[in-house]
Amino acid sequence: MTATLAMREVSFSYGSVPVLAAVSLSVGAGEIVALIGPNGAGKTTLLKIAAGLLRPQAGSVAFAAVAYLAQVDPLPGDWTAREIVELGRLPHVGLFRALSARDHAAVRSAMERTGIEAFAGRTVDTLSGGERQRVALARALAQEPSVLLLDEPTNHLDPRHQVELFATLRVAAGDGVGVVAVVHDLVFAAHADRCVLLAGGGIVAAGPPGEVLRAETLSAAYGTAMDVLRTEDGRLIALPAVGKREGG
């Protein structure tokens, strides 16, 4: 599998506070990777390094064309949804060139895949939080990246649109895009191709969801008792074991 992102022995600190220590991560074309772990584990920091927004103190990062969707992505309220998505073509056309037929086709495809055509002409300040999130995702897809980096993409989305989001990411992966998503939603993580569990500044487990989403592994990483259930059709559901203590 061709790697769209390769991070080797990456270390990073905020001042004197170490966050990541010798972390290595590669993402293949068409692969969906869920980056999971407790608060403060360095998930967002790792994603920002992958996007080129932060420079590691040690290690190397290699990537092709990257699109990054931040956890909080303020959008100009007086722009229409379509105009926001068109911004995704800037890396291809620059600031002062008009969009070509090829660019308009990429914008249309991104809007269709995220289901925002119905409100493409509305300004951002009239949209709900979930609608804005989908507009931001459409802008990222319009870039036609080799790797798509998402920080908490299910924020503000109701269950229906969470399902549609994952379907959209699966279509993108089917087109060869590597996807890395920071998620706290372990149900979402269970549908990824691979889970990477960060804790204590490093990767403590990585592999298919069935290998990573284990009660003992998650309990140790999150510092609280976790249960992992398997449905009749084989799906994994990981959730806090309310009333239990870790190790008890």
Side-chain angles (χ1 to χ4, degrees):
M1 183 183 293
T2 303
T4 58
L5 171 68
M7 309 178 75
R8 294 185 177 87
E9 301 291 315
V10 167
S11 296
F12 187 86
S13 300
Y14 289 106
S16 61
V17 180
V19 178
L20 298 170
V23 171
S24 296
L25 173 67
S26 63
V27 180
E31 183 181 28
I32 298 180
V33 176
L35 199 56
I36 62 174
N39 291 337
K43 302 182 299 297
T44 294
T45 298
L46 187 63
L47 205 68
K48 287 182 176 179
I49 292 172
L53 300 176
L54 292 175
R55 179 174 294 182
Q57 277 95 29
S60 64
V61 181
F63 53 81
V66 169
Y68 173 69
L69 181 59
Q71 187 175 152
V72 177
D73 194 347
L75 304 175
D78 58 347
W79 288 43
T80 66
R82 180 186 298 276
E83 289 170 335
I84 296 294
V85 180
E86 288 175 348
L87 288 176
R89 300 305 296 170
L90 280 179
H92 301 276
V93 302
L95 284 173
F96 304 110
R97 289 175 55 191
L99 298 184
S100 66
R102 174 73 184 81
D103 297 315
H104 284 297
V107 169
R108 283 195 303 272
S109 174
M111 292 194 298
E112 289 170 359
R113 288 156 74 178
T114 52
I116 68 169
E117 314 103 293
F119 51 84
R122 287 170 52 189
T123 56
V124 168
D125 58 8
T126 69
L127 303 179
S128 69
E131 288 169 338
R132 294 183 190 196
Q133 186 82 342
R134 289 155 61 198
V135 169
L137 175 59
R139 181 189 60 191
L141 291 173
Q143 292 183 40
E144 298 182 310
S146 298
V147 59
L148 181 59
L149 307 173
L150 309 165
D151 196 356
E152 289 294 337
T154 57
N155 276 1
H156 309 298
L157 297 183
D158 60 30
R160 171 193 161 192
H161 286 112
Q162 289 181 21
V163 171
E164 291 179 355
L165 167 71
F166 191 84
T168 299
L169 297 181
R170 185 56 75 188
V171 170
D175 292 336
V177 178
V179 178
V180 184
V182 169
V183 292
H184 284 294
D185 183 349
L186 297 181
V187 174
F188 183 104
H191 289 83
D193 299 313
R194 184 158 52 102
C195 291
V196 175
L197 175 59
L198 273 178
I203 295 175
V204 297
E211 294 180 6
V212 177
L213 300 181
R214 297 176 180 271
E216 60 276 14
T217 303
L218 296 176
S219 297
Y222 285 94
T224 190
M226 300 287 292
D227 280 336
V228 177
L229 312 175
R230 189 178 291 273
T231 64
E232 290 183 357
D233 59 359
R235 290 177 296 151
L236 294 172
I237 300 175
L239 67 168
V242 178
K244 291 183 182 179
R245 293 183 179 180
E246 196 242 323

